[in-house]
Amino acid sequence: MLPSHVTEGRYVLQSNGTKGHSRTPSDVEFRELTWRDAKESMHNELYKLLNTAKSERREHIRAELDSFEVLYSRFLGEGDTSINWGKIQLLPFGAVKPYNELVSETSPSLIKDMLNKLVVLKLNGGLGTSMGCTGPKSLICVRNALTFLDLTIQQIENLNKTYDTNVPIVLMNSFNTDEDTEKILRKYAQMKVKIHTFNQSRYPRINRESLLPIAKGIEDNEGAMEMYVVMSCSCWYPPGHGDVYQSFYNSGLLKQLIDEGKEYVFVSNIDNLGATVDISILKFLLDQPNSMSRDFVMEVTDKTRADVKGGTLVEYEGKLRLLEIAQVPKEHVDEFKSVSKFKIFNTNNLWINMKAIQRVVEERTLHMEVIVNPKTLDCGLNVLQLETAVGAAIMNFDGAIGINVPRKRFRPVKTTSDLLIMMSNLTCLKGGMIDMNTLRSFPSVPLVKLGHCFKKVKDFLERFANIPDLLELDHLTVSGDVTFGRNVTLKGTVIIIANHGDRIDIPPGAVLENKIVSGNLRILDH
């Protein structure tokens, strides 16, 4: 059974000021004994797993399993350290700096000196399964047959050529993305950019009932505790992007880059096309006197109604802390979603002092909330994955601050709806950077909602003869079996709904402005 403070992947906060039954001494004693037994059993199982590892990999695997065991122990006891809602404070003055207050003007020679102290790290552990793709998400084509990875490499190469500098790219892969990514990296060999890679940890999935690993061997899917668990059930998982600190350190790359004179690392998701190197933010960091060192900067941006579930910054016990919706008691969820109270959210664009990362890892002072992710595998087995989020580490760093950046620095592509916007004439591509087309009258990005028939990239592409003109679009909703001919123009608010059994073909050259299209419309070749 699950520990009492975890229910369906959400923390039930038991700290002072929240609802809950009081525990008698016997309750506490029973819980402590149960947790002690679970920790001991897990330790024994991890020891057995380690003994199945090949000798040349044993030291590396031991470090991974040790880190997992620490996370597991915290998972069992997290109820004692949960957030007390009554202690959450709104941000004090100066905790978030407006982007427009940063100084941007500087000479090319100074920019070169600053860039030579920077490392760009992209989180590249995710697969494109949510968009119907089997490989790394970073290899999905976004614009002009260029992938997320192509655009990232182009951006940094263009930066290095412009300022004659040497900004390296570091990719944190997972065991799911490493092999395919390494094959693709060969094509960038002649480009003016140094590319490093390391793998994040590989942790064992936990049986939800026994709270023990389902794997019995280190090799992926080698044996399982239940006889009915088949090879289709992966016994291992990458534990979220919060693992970047420990894995970056363990890889040896962190120390190597510090020794080369690098000072700050810019961390972001590889699918956020707005997460480009910003000279103004870098200058702000490097201009700070030692007494005012900023070891951690989180880029935040203003919430809209589409972002109400996004993590936000709060003050908690005198420190900045990232508050995620999964940590919020049910009775306070509406309050958390309030745009008037919590006005900003985390973009996951982070600027971190590299020596500070080295320090918190070596001193073992890195603390991030455990994210409990329950899953049902294809074989029907219920498991738990213990994960952490990279932004949650903000409370462990000195001089942490938020910078309220323009919305254009947050352009993630999570769905084909996002992909349609990026592939359309709403955006322009230059030097690997995608920006809004200046010909658009309004700075806002239109709201696009594509239905289930468009969910997979392959199906999405087959339903457009070419991408429509969206320059004057405000809102698009498409549901059901709908296809678009060539040179279609969509303006204002357009809603296209094909009911079950119906099909709608938008003819070539059609101009739809503030229209609702429903029923059955099909154009057949003569």
Side-chain angles (χ1 to χ4, degrees), residues 264 280-288 294 297 351-352:
Y264 278 90
S280 298
I281 297 177
L282 182 60
K283 179 175 172 57
F284 168 75
L285 291 168
L286 293 173
D287 281 352
Q288 299 293 321
R294 300 293 187 183
V297 163
W351 303 73
I352 314 171

Side-chain angles (χ1 to χ4, degrees), residues 34-183:
T34 303
W35 290 358
R36 193 181 308 158
D37 287 344
K39 288 166 67 174
E40 185 176 344
S41 297
M42 175 61 77
H43 179 81
N44 292 336
E45 290 300 319
L46 295 178
Y47 181 76
K48 292 177 185 177
L49 281 174
L50 182 63
N51 283 337
T52 69
K54 295 176 181 177
S55 57
E56 64 270 19
R57 297 183 61 210
R58 192 163 293 179
E59 184 176 349
H60 173 75
I61 291 169
R62 181 192 296 275
E64 287 190 341
L65 294 182
D66 285 348
S67 296
F68 170 78
E69 192 167 6
V70 170
L71 194 65
Y72 181 79
S73 297
R74 286 190 37 235
F75 154 68
L76 292 176
E78 194 74 24
D80 295 331
T81 57
S82 295
I83 285 180
N84 180 335
W85 188 259
K87 290 184 177 182
I88 292 174
Q89 302 292 322
L90 296 181
L91 294 173
F93 179 79
V96 174
K97 189 175 183 67
Y99 180 82
N100 58 15
E101 291 184 4
L102 301 183
V103 178
S104 58
E105 294 182 4
T106 191
S107 67
S109 61
L110 286 177
I111 292 176
K112 176 180 178 178
D113 290 343
M114 290 191 299
L115 288 174
N116 279 330
K117 298 175 182 178
L118 181 68
V119 174
V120 172
L121 192 156
K122 294 291 184 178
L123 304 171
N124 186 46
L127 295 171
T129 50
S130 64
M131 297 170 71
C133 300
T134 56
K137 187 176 182 181
S138 58
L139 304 185
I140 294 175
C141 288
V142 183
R143 182 70 182 260
N144 297 356
L146 298 174
T147 66
F148 290 104
L149 187 56
D150 290 333
L151 294 173
T152 298
I153 302 298
Q154 278 195 11
Q155 288 170 20
I156 304 305
E157 184 193 36
N158 186 58
L159 200 65
N160 285 339
K161 285 183 175 179
T162 301
Y163 296 102
D164 188 28
T165 189
N166 182 28
V167 177
I169 292 176
V170 176
L171 299 174
M172 184 176 82
N173 301 329
S174 67
F175 64 86
N176 290 320
T177 64
D178 180 58
E179 185 176 350
D180 288 339
T181 301
E182 289 292 342
K183 290 177 183 177

Side-chain angles (χ1 to χ4, degrees), residues 175-328:
F175 64 86
N176 290 320
T177 64
D178 180 58
E179 185 176 350
D180 288 339
T181 301
E182 289 292 342
K183 290 177 183 177
I184 294 296
L185 291 181
R186 298 168 191 165
K187 75 177 184 178
Y188 306 121
Q190 302 306 313
M191 292 190 172
K192 184 178 170 56
V193 56
K194 179 68 175 176
I195 305 172
H196 303 277
T197 65
F198 68 91
N199 270 18
Q200 68 180 116
S201 301
R202 191 181 74 144
Y203 284 178
R205 282 180 165 144
I206 303 168
N207 183 297
R208 189 168 179 176
E209 298 301 321
S210 67
L211 294 183
L212 295 174
I214 64 172
K216 279 206 163 183
I218 287 298
E219 296 304 316
D220 198 19
N221 301 325
E222 178 188 312
M225 295 181 64
E226 288 78 13
M227 293 298 292
Y228 62 84
V229 176
V230 294
M231 292 296 288
S232 64
C233 281
S234 174
C235 300
W236 305 86
Y237 71 97
H241 42 54
D243 182 58
V244 65
Y245 305 101
Q246 188 72 52
S247 291
F248 194 15
Y249 179 90
N250 290 348
S251 71
L253 263 177
L254 178 65
K255 182 179 185 305
Q256 175 187 325
L257 293 167
I258 290 173
D259 290 345
E260 292 175 6
K262 306 300 181 183
E263 294 185 22
Y264 278 90
V265 57
F266 173 44
V267 180
S268 62
N269 297 329
I270 200 164
D271 65 2
N272 180 6
L273 297 176
T276 59
V277 172
D278 188 285
I279 302 298
S280 298
I281 297 177
L282 182 60
K283 179 175 172 57
F284 168 75
L285 291 168
L286 293 173
D287 281 352
Q288 299 293 321
N290 290 335
S291 59
M292 293 284 291
S293 176
R294 300 293 187 183
D295 288 346
F296 195 108
V297 163
M298 174 182 289
E299 292 186 36
V300 297
T301 196
D302 292 342
K303 271 190 179 183
T304 68
R305 291 188 178 183
D307 313 307
V308 292
K309 294 183 179 180
T312 190
L313 279 182
V314 296
E315 185 181 48
Y316 189 84
E317 296 182 338
K319 288 190 174 183
L320 285 190
R321 189 158 180 171
L322 179 64
L323 177 64
E324 301 280 8
I325 193 169
Q327 299 168 270
V328 179

